[in-house]
Amino acid sequence: MKARPTILDVAKHAGVSKSTVSLVLQGASVKESTRLAVKQAMADIGYVYNRSAATLRSSSSGLMGLVINDLRNPFFTEFAAQFQMELARQGYATVLANTDEDPELQMRMISSLAEHGVSGFIISPSYGGEQETLAALHASNTPTLQVFRSLSPEDPKLPFMAPDYLLGGRLAAEHLLEMGCKRIAFLGGLEGRAVTEERMSGYLSVLNEKEITPVVLTGQATRSFGKAMAAKLQDDYPEVDGVICFNDLVALGVLSACPELGIKAGSDLRVVGFDDIEDCQDSYPPLTSISCNIPDFAKATASQILGWVKEGKTPHITERSPVHLIKRASSGA
Amino acid sequence: MKARPTILDVAKHAGVSKSTVSLVLQGASVKESTRLAVKQAMADIGYVYNRSAATLRSSSSGLMGLVINDLRNPFFTEFAAQFQMELARQGYATVLANTDEDPELQMRMISSLAEHGVSGFIISPSYGGEQETLAALHASNTPTLQVFRSLSPEDPKLPFMAPDYLLGGRLAAEHLLEMGCKRIAFLGGLEGRAVTEERMSGYLSVLNEKEITPVVLTGQATRSFGKAMAAKLQDDYPEVDGVICFNDLVALGVLSACPELGIKAGSDLRVVGFDDIEDCQDSYPPLTSISCNIPDFAKATASQILGWVKEGKTPHITERSPVHLIKRASSGA
DNA sequence: CTGAAAGCGCTTACAG
DNA sequence: CTGAAAGCGCTTACAG
């Protein structure tokens, strides 16, 4: 465990000055033979670049803070994994914080990431504790992009990117009508939250146009809620022949309850989810869903935050990304 | 966007020397009134601790590197989320790297994390490129704990922690025998890999003791593989009345295929998974599985790496954590 | 308990 | 293209 070599050691070994070594590190133009000699010296003595020193001097850490409200939800996991890999490609490391829907934890984690000098924040915020969270973000004085959810929709300092939830709700409702559904319910999602409201209002506007009475059962966005609601629909709303779920987890819960209840998903009851997580392909029957195209969304997010951090290009306040319907057997398609 | 205040600014504002501010930051003993004055000054001028400077001076970053081969698998996600929250509780931030089973990516990410001065690595390695990965880890000269999978089982520099996979395989097989199964198959997991071999050998040893002929169908650890195998079992091995799956994803795939094939999961075919991910509770029927107790495992991992990093306590070379059977309806329990 | 000084390993102008 | 010097914001002995 001897001390890590420094650029001075490299310089000595390569017979150049330490500035030259630094220039090679920056990828600045240096005579090719010199560059190779320096690279060789680094390999020989096992040099490891010390980013803390570089950060201190240049005040740029190469670190991006990703703050996620629920990493156990596959939708966010897929986003986090894609985002992290995209940033790695651009030479940035991602520091991950799972806040588990806890505003207090969220605030502490934001502060911690700020201390580490993250160059930017991407946050899908927890609900609650808005003031404290905003204060922590503000104190960090760091470019911050909100994704999926917004703490503060109108704040120009906190641009917001999300899929076009409203359109998704519309597409789902229109699809079920096309498939011949007469009575369509909306299942799951906590009331009063923007994401729920948007997804639901796409559904409501379509039903309104057709003068169909909506059936709305809000609740947790979980498989177990979906399971419970499948039974409730059968008991209390037997006329319902189509459901749009707040997200895929709820929809997968509905599907998993159907065999037991003797309901034929895809004909007796047509089911549409939201998010198009990978599991949709492998459920029985495979789940029709609204795809938010997470890989592209993650790429767009990465490029926006990098553009902001590196070139000072502030993103638009609100950006909506396209969504589309993926037809599978659960809706009879 | 004015420059971040430093401890010097805080000192000036509080009317003390900058050493005093530093001592307050370290939590060293300082007169209470002074400490409060300093804290107040920090709040007043919006001071944010600069860890890069501290890291440079003290050579301890407060960063832990978590390298995961497949973040899309809920099993790893649950571990990552728990581990990250546990470390946050201890004042460490977690830098996450998803290597997506790509050894080349893995090597680059290890190097990148090393440059950021992570105090330790926790790695669930990708298969392949063992030499390069080991070289990168070695060059970092950083405490490294392998979890779940091992690149190099005998290396005392790379201790290894994993659930007791072999026992899990045994428990699953014994349970199915108790439930009256006569012919038990093992499904999924890539051949030749240590994790597959261990899980399978628990199963094989139980069958061997009872002189039952095993049926082994190895393959990807995915839902779609499980789905495909359910059909194959029906066609080619109709006598099979119990399956032990390499992991829950495979098992969930089997379950989702059953309704279509007219198989009654839990009676015609008893199914046991491995890992006990959260989805097991919400499948139809709920999935019997071998729990590796991820929250405890994550806590143990966190405590081992912190003990190593902070107090130099090298963990034992190999540590196996307990597993147990969770009985649910998929095995008829 | 508090203050003055040195130094961690880089980057960044600035000369040569 | 290369070298000598200053400095990023802390921590760490060391005196007082």
Side-chain angles (χ1 to χ4, degrees):
Chain A
M1 285 264 184
K2 58 174 175 294
R4 265 158 70 148
T6 73
I7 53 168
L8 233 150
D9 300 314
V10 176
K12 217 172 292 171
H13 195 90
V16 298
S17 86
K18 76 177 201 224
S19 316
T20 309
V21 177
S22 180
L23 290 174
V24 171
L25 251 17
Q26 312 303 305
S29 67
V30 173
K31 207 201 305 173
E32 186 60 12
S33 60
T34 313
R35 211 180 59 79
L36 288 175
V38 170
K39 289 276 186 194
Q40 187 58 52
M42 294 201 271
D44 288 350
I45 67 179
Y47 171 73
V48 173
Y49 184 61
N50 184 331
R51 259 178 207 275
S52 298
T55 301
L56 178 56
R57 187 61 236 256
S58 66
S59 52
S60 159
S61 67
L63 237 38
M64 211 65 88
L66 180 59
V67 181
I68 295 287
N69 56 293
D70 180 11
L71 247 200
R72 291 189 187 85
N73 181 332
F75 177 70
F76 291 115
T77 311
E78 286 178 23
F79 173 71
Q82 293 282 354
F83 180 80
Q84 180 269 138
M85 286 191 288
E86 190 60 27
L87 278 189
R89 225 166 270 138
Q90 314 273 341
Y92 278 74
T94 302
V95 191
L96 177 73
N98 180 31
T99 59
D100 222 30
E101 301 288 9
D102 177 345
E104 160 70 19
L105 236 179
Q106 176 169 271
M107 206 196 57
R108 292 216 315 275
M109 289 190 166
I110 289 169
S111 302
S112 162
L113 294 181
E115 292 183 356
H116 282 288
V118 294
S119 304
F121 278 109
I122 283 77
I123 178 169
S124 170
S126 303
Y127 294 109
E130 280 77 8
Q131 292 318 309
E132 291 83 344
T133 304
L134 288 169
L137 285 172
H138 186 255
S140 77
N141 201 11
T142 304
T144 300
L145 201 55
Q146 302 180 100
V147 288
F148 304 123
R149 302 168 165 192
S150 176
L151 280 171
S152 153
E154 305 302 322
D155 188 343
K157 305 266 287 181
L158 291 177
F160 174 55
M161 289 175 71
D164 192 341
Y165 299 133
L166 196 146
L167 175 60
R170 283 198 66 93
L171 292 176
E174 284 165 358
H175 171 62
L176 287 179
L177 288 175
E178 269 170 32
M179 298 305 298
C181 290
K182 300 294 174 215
R183 200 70 192 281
I184 302 173
F186 186 94
L187 242 56
L190 293 180
E191 217 158 343
R193 298 196 169 164
V195 179
T196 310
E197 298 298 323
E198 287 187 32
R199 293 182 180 189
M200 199 189 300
S201 71
Y203 151 86
L204 290 175
S205 68
V206 170
L207 264 63
N208 189 44
E209 287 160 18
K210 304 283 179 195
E211 298 183 347
I212 302 176
T213 313
V215 175
V216 171
L217 297 168
T218 51
Q220 294 289 121
T222 60
R223 286 178 193 252
S224 49
F225 179 79
K227 264 178 108 164
M229 287 306 104
K232 188 179 173 68
L233 279 179
Q234 192 175 44
D235 291 347
D236 300 352
Y237 303 91
E239 75 280 13
V240 166
D241 54 2
V243 293
I244 296 171
C245 297
F246 171 74
N247 71 6
D248 291 331
L249 296 179
V250 174
L252 291 169
V254 170
L255 292 186
S256 77
C258 283
E260 215 166 356
L261 298 168
I263 300 171
K264 272 227 171 70
S267 49
D268 297 348
L269 185 69
R270 297 175 196 270
V271 181
V272 180
F274 212 112
D275 292 344
D276 192 37
I277 62 177
E278 288 183 11
D279 294 356
C280 294
Q281 298 163 44
D282 298 306
S283 59
Y284 174 73
L287 180 63
T288 293
S289 189
I290 302 295
S291 165
C292 299
N293 205 340
I294 287 303
D296 284 358
F297 185 81
K299 263 178 216 157
T301 309
S303 113
Q304 294 278 4
I305 192 72
L306 284 173
W308 195 358
V309 165
K310 301 208 292 193
E311 294 148 41
K313 290 191 290 193
T314 315
H316 295 132
I317 299 186
T318 302
E319 190 102 17
R320 290 291 176 163
S321 65
V323 300
H324 58 281
L325 180 76
I326 307 283
K327 297 182 191 174
R328 298 200 182 88
S330 74
S331 61
Chain B
M1 286 262 184
K2 58 172 176 295
R4 265 157 71 148
T6 72
I7 54 169
L8 234 150
D9 300 314
V10 176
K12 217 172 291 170
H13 195 90
V16 299
S17 84
K18 75 176 200 221
S19 315
T20 308
V21 177
S22 179
L23 289 174
V24 171
L25 251 17
Q26 312 304 304
S29 67
V30 173
K31 208 203 302 174
E32 187 59 14
S33 63
T34 313
R35 209 180 61 78
L36 287 175
V38 170
K39 288 275 184 196
Q40 188 57 51
M42 294 200 272
D44 288 349
I45 67 180
Y47 171 73
V48 173
Y49 184 59
N50 183 331
R51 259 179 207 274
S52 297
T55 301
L56 178 55
R57 186 61 237 254
S58 66
S59 51
S60 159
S61 66
L63 237 38
M64 210 64 86
L66 179 59
V67 181
I68 294 287
N69 56 293
D70 180 11
L71 250 199
R72 291 189 187 87
N73 182 333
F75 177 69
F76 292 114
T77 312
E78 287 178 23
F79 172 70
Q82 292 282 354
F83 179 79
Q84 180 271 138
M85 287 191 288
E86 189 59 28
L87 278 189
R89 226 165 270 139
Q90 314 275 339
Y92 278 73
T94 302
V95 191
L96 178 72
N98 180 30
T99 59
D100 223 31
E101 302 288 9
D102 177 346
E104 160 70 20
L105 236 180
Q106 176 169 270
M107 205 193 59
R108 292 214 315 273
M109 291 190 164
I110 290 170
S111 302
S112 161
L113 294 181
E115 293 182 356
H116 282 288
V118 293
S119 304
F121 279 110
I122 282 74
I123 177 167
S124 170
S126 303
Y127 294 109
E130 280 78 6
Q131 292 318 309
E132 291 83 343
T133 304
L134 288 170
L137 285 171
H138 185 257
S140 77
N141 202 11
T142 303
T144 301
L145 201 55
Q146 303 180 97
V147 288
F148 304 123
R149 302 169 165 192
S150 175
L151 281 170
S152 153
E154 304 303 322
D155 189 343
K157 306 267 285 182
L158 291 177
F160 173 55
M161 289 175 71
D164 192 342
Y165 298 134
L166 196 145
L167 176 60
R170 284 198 66 93
L171 292 175
E174 285 165 359
H175 172 62
L176 287 180
L177 287 175
E178 270 168 32
M179 298 308 295
C181 290
K182 300 294 174 214
R183 201 67 193 280
I184 303 173
F186 187 95
L187 243 56
L190 294 180
E191 217 159 345
R193 296 193 171 165
V195 180
T196 311
E197 299 298 324
E198 287 186 33
R199 293 183 178 188
M200 197 189 301
S201 69
Y203 150 86
L204 289 176
S205 67
V206 170
L207 265 62
N208 190 43
E209 288 159 19
K210 304 283 179 195
E211 297 184 346
I212 301 175
T213 312
V215 175
V216 172
L217 296 169
T218 52
Q220 294 290 118
T222 60
R223 285 179 194 254
S224 49
F225 179 78
K227 263 177 110 162
M229 286 308 102
K232 188 179 172 66
L233 279 178
Q234 192 174 45
D235 291 347
D236 300 353
Y237 303 90
E239 75 281 14
V240 166
D241 53 2
V243 292
I244 296 171
C245 296
F246 170 75
N247 71 6
D248 291 331
L249 296 178
V250 174
L252 292 168
V254 170
L255 292 185
S256 77
C258 282
E260 212 167 358
L261 298 168
I263 300 172
K264 272 226 171 72
S267 49
D268 297 349
L269 186 68
R270 299 177 195 270
V271 181
V272 180
F274 212 113
D275 292 344
D276 192 37
I277 63 177
E278 287 183 11
D279 293 356
C280 293
Q281 298 164 43
D282 299 306
S283 59
Y284 174 73
L287 180 61
T288 294
S289 188
I290 302 295
S291 164
C292 300
N293 206 338
I294 286 303
D296 284 356
F297 185 80
K299 263 178 218 159
T301 309
S303 113
Q304 294 278 3
I305 192 72
L306 285 173
W308 194 358
V309 164
K310 300 208 291 192
E311 295 149 39
K313 290 191 292 192
T314 315
H316 295 133
I317 299 186
T318 302
E319 190 103 16
R320 290 292 175 161
S321 65
V323 300
H324 57 283
L325 179 77
I326 307 284
K327 296 182 191 177
R328 297 199 183 87
S330 74
S331 61

Short mmCIF file of all heavy atoms in Angstrom, two decimals, chain A residues 71-72 77 96-98, chain B residues 66-68 70-71 73-87 94 96-97 122 148 294 298:
data_model
loop_
_atom_site.label_atom_id
_atom_site.label_comp_id
_atom_site.label_asym_id
_atom_site.label_seq_id
_atom_site.Cartn_x
_atom_site.Cartn_y
_atom_site.Cartn_z
N LEU A 71 -36.32 3.64 -6.48
CA LEU A 71 -35.49 2.83 -7.38
C LEU A 71 -36.02 1.42 -7.52
O LEU A 71 -35.56 0.67 -8.38
CB LEU A 71 -34.08 2.75 -6.81
CG LEU A 71 -32.97 3.44 -7.58
CD1 LEU A 71 -31.64 2.87 -7.18
CD2 LEU A 71 -33.16 3.34 -9.08
N ARG A 72 -36.97 1.02 -6.70
CA ARG A 72 -37.47 -0.35 -6.80
C ARG A 72 -38.49 -0.48 -7.92
O ARG A 72 -38.80 -1.58 -8.35
CB ARG A 72 -38.11 -0.78 -5.47
CG ARG A 72 -37.08 -0.94 -4.39
CD ARG A 72 -37.72 -1.57 -3.16
NE ARG A 72 -36.78 -1.57 -2.06
CZ ARG A 72 -36.59 -0.55 -1.24
NH1 ARG A 72 -37.29 0.55 -1.38
NH2 ARG A 72 -35.70 -0.62 -0.28
N THR A 77 -35.71 2.34 -12.54
CA THR A 77 -34.46 1.60 -12.67
C THR A 77 -33.96 1.63 -14.10
O THR A 77 -32.78 1.84 -14.36
CB THR A 77 -34.66 0.13 -12.27
OG1 THR A 77 -35.32 0.09 -11.04
CG2 THR A 77 -33.33 -0.57 -12.18
N LEU A 96 -25.66 8.04 -7.39
CA LEU A 96 -27.06 7.70 -7.29
C LEU A 96 -27.58 7.90 -5.88
O LEU A 96 -26.93 7.53 -4.91
CB LEU A 96 -27.24 6.24 -7.67
CG LEU A 96 -28.66 5.71 -7.55
CD1 LEU A 96 -29.53 6.27 -8.65
CD2 LEU A 96 -28.65 4.20 -7.58
N ALA A 97 -28.75 8.47 -5.76
CA ALA A 97 -29.39 8.56 -4.46
C ALA A 97 -30.83 8.12 -4.59
O ALA A 97 -31.59 8.69 -5.37
CB ALA A 97 -29.32 9.98 -3.92
N ASN A 98 -31.19 7.10 -3.84
CA ASN A 98 -32.57 6.63 -3.80
C ASN A 98 -33.22 7.23 -2.56
O ASN A 98 -32.83 6.94 -1.45
CB ASN A 98 -32.60 5.10 -3.71
CG ASN A 98 -34.00 4.55 -3.65
OD1 ASN A 98 -34.92 5.14 -4.22
ND2 ASN A 98 -34.17 3.45 -2.95
N LEU B 66 -20.11 1.28 -6.26
CA LEU B 66 -20.94 0.08 -6.36
C LEU B 66 -21.05 -0.32 -7.82
O LEU B 66 -21.62 0.41 -8.63
CB LEU B 66 -22.33 0.36 -5.77
CG LEU B 66 -23.34 -0.78 -5.81
CD1 LEU B 66 -22.83 -1.99 -5.05
CD2 LEU B 66 -24.67 -0.32 -5.23
N VAL B 67 -20.49 -1.46 -8.16
CA VAL B 67 -20.42 -1.89 -9.55
C VAL B 67 -21.29 -3.13 -9.72
O VAL B 67 -21.04 -4.16 -9.10
CB VAL B 67 -18.96 -2.23 -9.94
CG1 VAL B 67 -18.87 -2.66 -11.39
CG2 VAL B 67 -18.05 -1.04 -9.67
N ILE B 68 -22.32 -2.97 -10.53
CA ILE B 68 -23.33 -4.03 -10.64
C ILE B 68 -23.45 -4.50 -12.09
O ILE B 68 -23.51 -3.68 -13.01
CB ILE B 68 -24.69 -3.48 -10.16
CG1 ILE B 68 -24.64 -3.16 -8.67
CG2 ILE B 68 -25.81 -4.46 -10.46
CD1 ILE B 68 -24.64 -4.36 -7.77
N ASP B 70 -25.98 -6.10 -13.57
CA ASP B 70 -27.26 -5.97 -14.24
C ASP B 70 -28.28 -5.29 -13.35
O ASP B 70 -28.99 -5.94 -12.59
CB ASP B 70 -27.79 -7.33 -14.68
CG ASP B 70 -29.14 -7.21 -15.39
OD1 ASP B 70 -29.54 -6.08 -15.72
OD2 ASP B 70 -29.79 -8.24 -15.62
N LEU B 71 -28.38 -4.00 -13.48
CA LEU B 71 -29.27 -3.22 -12.62
C LEU B 71 -30.73 -3.41 -12.99
O LEU B 71 -31.62 -3.00 -12.25
CB LEU B 71 -28.95 -1.74 -12.73
CG LEU B 71 -28.32 -1.07 -11.53
CD1 LEU B 71 -28.51 0.43 -11.63
CD2 LEU B 71 -28.92 -1.56 -10.22
N ASN B 73 -32.20 -6.23 -13.27
CA ASN B 73 -32.71 -7.36 -12.49
C ASN B 73 -33.10 -6.85 -11.11
O ASN B 73 -32.27 -6.32 -10.37
CB ASN B 73 -31.61 -8.41 -12.40
CG ASN B 73 -32.05 -9.65 -11.64
OD1 ASN B 73 -32.93 -9.60 -10.78
ND2 ASN B 73 -31.42 -10.76 -11.95
N PRO B 74 -34.38 -7.01 -10.75
CA PRO B 74 -34.87 -6.44 -9.48
C PRO B 74 -34.06 -6.90 -8.27
O PRO B 74 -33.98 -6.19 -7.28
CB PRO B 74 -36.31 -6.97 -9.38
CG PRO B 74 -36.67 -7.49 -10.71
CD PRO B 74 -35.44 -7.72 -11.49
N PHE B 75 -33.50 -8.09 -8.37
CA PHE B 75 -32.71 -8.60 -7.26
C PHE B 75 -31.53 -7.66 -6.98
O PHE B 75 -31.30 -7.25 -5.84
CB PHE B 75 -32.18 -10.00 -7.62
CG PHE B 75 -31.29 -10.60 -6.58
CD1 PHE B 75 -31.80 -11.00 -5.36
CD2 PHE B 75 -29.94 -10.77 -6.84
CE1 PHE B 75 -30.98 -11.56 -4.40
CE2 PHE B 75 -29.10 -11.33 -5.88
CZ PHE B 75 -29.62 -11.73 -4.66
N PHE B 76 -30.83 -7.26 -8.01
CA PHE B 76 -29.70 -6.35 -7.83
C PHE B 76 -30.17 -4.95 -7.46
O PHE B 76 -29.52 -4.24 -6.71
CB PHE B 76 -28.84 -6.31 -9.10
CG PHE B 76 -28.12 -7.60 -9.37
CD1 PHE B 76 -28.43 -8.36 -10.47
CD2 PHE B 76 -27.15 -8.05 -8.49
CE1 PHE B 76 -27.77 -9.57 -10.71
CE2 PHE B 76 -26.48 -9.25 -8.72
CZ PHE B 76 -26.80 -10.01 -9.83
N THR B 77 -31.31 -4.55 -8.03
CA THR B 77 -31.84 -3.24 -7.71
C THR B 77 -32.16 -3.12 -6.24
O THR B 77 -31.83 -2.12 -5.59
CB THR B 77 -33.12 -2.97 -8.50
OG1 THR B 77 -32.89 -3.29 -9.85
CG2 THR B 77 -33.53 -1.52 -8.37
N GLU B 78 -32.81 -4.15 -5.72
CA GLU B 78 -33.15 -4.11 -4.30
C GLU B 78 -31.87 -4.02 -3.47
O GLU B 78 -31.80 -3.26 -2.50
CB GLU B 78 -33.98 -5.36 -3.90
CG GLU B 78 -35.40 -5.30 -4.44
CD GLU B 78 -36.25 -6.53 -4.10
OE1 GLU B 78 -35.93 -7.24 -3.13
OE2 GLU B 78 -37.23 -6.80 -4.83
N PHE B 79 -30.88 -4.78 -3.85
CA PHE B 79 -29.61 -4.73 -3.13
C PHE B 79 -29.00 -3.32 -3.22
O PHE B 79 -28.60 -2.74 -2.21
CB PHE B 79 -28.64 -5.76 -3.69
CG PHE B 79 -27.26 -5.64 -3.11
CD1 PHE B 79 -27.02 -5.97 -1.79
CD2 PHE B 79 -26.21 -5.16 -3.88
CE1 PHE B 79 -25.75 -5.84 -1.24
CE2 PHE B 79 -24.94 -5.03 -3.34
CZ PHE B 79 -24.71 -5.36 -2.02
N ALA B 80 -28.95 -2.78 -4.42
CA ALA B 80 -28.33 -1.47 -4.62
C ALA B 80 -29.04 -0.39 -3.81
O ALA B 80 -28.42 0.44 -3.16
CB ALA B 80 -28.32 -1.10 -6.11
N ALA B 81 -30.37 -0.43 -3.84
CA ALA B 81 -31.14 0.58 -3.12
C ALA B 81 -30.90 0.48 -1.61
O ALA B 81 -30.67 1.49 -0.93
CB ALA B 81 -32.63 0.42 -3.44
N GLN B 82 -30.91 -0.72 -1.10
CA GLN B 82 -30.69 -0.91 0.34
C GLN B 82 -29.28 -0.51 0.73
O GLN B 82 -29.06 0.15 1.76
CB GLN B 82 -30.88 -2.40 0.71
CG GLN B 82 -32.30 -2.90 0.58
CD GLN B 82 -33.15 -2.46 1.76
OE1 GLN B 82 -32.66 -1.88 2.72
NE2 GLN B 82 -34.43 -2.72 1.67
N PHE B 83 -28.33 -0.93 -0.06
CA PHE B 83 -26.93 -0.65 0.24
C PHE B 83 -26.68 0.85 0.25
O PHE B 83 -26.04 1.40 1.15
CB PHE B 83 -26.06 -1.33 -0.82
CG PHE B 83 -24.59 -1.11 -0.63
CD1 PHE B 83 -23.89 -1.85 0.31
CD2 PHE B 83 -23.91 -0.15 -1.37
CE1 PHE B 83 -22.52 -1.64 0.50
CE2 PHE B 83 -22.56 0.06 -1.19
CZ PHE B 83 -21.86 -0.68 -0.25
N GLN B 84 -27.20 1.50 -0.75
CA GLN B 84 -27.02 2.95 -0.87
C GLN B 84 -27.60 3.68 0.32
O GLN B 84 -26.98 4.59 0.88
CB GLN B 84 -27.66 3.39 -2.19
CG GLN B 84 -27.58 4.85 -2.50
CD GLN B 84 -28.75 5.61 -1.94
OE1 GLN B 84 -28.57 6.70 -1.41
NE2 GLN B 84 -29.95 5.06 -2.02
N MET B 85 -28.78 3.26 0.76
CA MET B 85 -29.41 3.95 1.89
C MET B 85 -28.65 3.67 3.19
O MET B 85 -28.52 4.54 4.04
CB MET B 85 -30.87 3.53 2.00
CG MET B 85 -31.71 4.16 0.88
SD MET B 85 -33.48 3.96 1.14
CE MET B 85 -33.65 2.22 0.81
N GLU B 86 -28.14 2.45 3.31
CA GLU B 86 -27.38 2.09 4.50
C GLU B 86 -26.11 2.95 4.59
O GLU B 86 -25.77 3.50 5.64
CB GLU B 86 -27.01 0.61 4.43
CG GLU B 86 -26.40 0.05 5.69
CD GLU B 86 -27.32 0.18 6.90
OE1 GLU B 86 -28.55 0.19 6.70
OE2 GLU B 86 -26.80 0.30 8.02
N LEU B 87 -25.42 3.10 3.47
CA LEU B 87 -24.20 3.90 3.47
C LEU B 87 -24.49 5.38 3.71
O LEU B 87 -23.72 6.07 4.38
CB LEU B 87 -23.46 3.74 2.15
CG LEU B 87 -22.60 2.49 2.04
CD1 LEU B 87 -21.76 2.56 0.78
CD2 LEU B 87 -21.69 2.33 3.24
N THR B 94 -22.84 6.87 -2.49
CA THR B 94 -22.59 5.70 -3.33
C THR B 94 -22.54 6.11 -4.80
O THR B 94 -23.48 6.72 -5.29
CB THR B 94 -23.71 4.66 -3.14
OG1 THR B 94 -23.77 4.30 -1.76
CG2 THR B 94 -23.44 3.42 -3.97
N LEU B 96 -22.73 4.77 -8.42
CA LEU B 96 -23.25 3.55 -9.02
C LEU B 96 -22.73 3.36 -10.43
O LEU B 96 -22.70 4.29 -11.23
CB LEU B 96 -24.77 3.63 -9.07
CG LEU B 96 -25.44 2.43 -9.73
CD1 LEU B 96 -25.36 1.22 -8.84
CD2 LEU B 96 -26.87 2.76 -10.06
N ALA B 97 -22.35 2.14 -10.75
CA ALA B 97 -21.99 1.83 -12.13
C ALA B 97 -22.68 0.55 -12.55
O ALA B 97 -22.51 -0.49 -11.91
CB ALA B 97 -20.48 1.68 -12.27
N ILE B 122 -17.61 -2.18 -4.06
CA ILE B 122 -18.43 -3.38 -3.92
C ILE B 122 -18.79 -3.77 -5.33
O ILE B 122 -19.38 -2.99 -6.08
CB ILE B 122 -19.71 -3.12 -3.10
CG1 ILE B 122 -19.40 -3.07 -1.63
CG2 ILE B 122 -20.69 -4.26 -3.31
CD1 ILE B 122 -18.73 -1.83 -1.23
N PHE B 148 -22.14 -11.72 -4.46
CA PHE B 148 -22.95 -12.57 -5.33
C PHE B 148 -22.13 -13.45 -6.26
O PHE B 148 -22.38 -14.63 -6.38
CB PHE B 148 -23.97 -11.75 -6.15
CG PHE B 148 -24.86 -10.91 -5.30
CD1 PHE B 148 -24.93 -9.54 -5.48
CD2 PHE B 148 -25.60 -11.48 -4.27
CE1 PHE B 148 -25.75 -8.75 -4.67
CE2 PHE B 148 -26.42 -10.70 -3.46
CZ PHE B 148 -26.49 -9.34 -3.66
N ILE B 294 -32.25 -9.83 1.39
CA ILE B 294 -31.44 -8.76 0.83
C ILE B 294 -31.21 -7.58 1.79
O ILE B 294 -30.09 -7.07 1.88
CB ILE B 294 -32.06 -8.28 -0.51
CG1 ILE B 294 -31.78 -9.32 -1.59
CG2 ILE B 294 -31.47 -6.95 -0.95
CD1 ILE B 294 -30.32 -9.63 -1.77
N ALA B 298 -27.49 -6.56 2.52
CA ALA B 298 -26.97 -5.23 2.18
C ALA B 298 -26.35 -4.57 3.40
O ALA B 298 -25.29 -3.94 3.32
CB ALA B 298 -28.09 -4.35 1.61
#
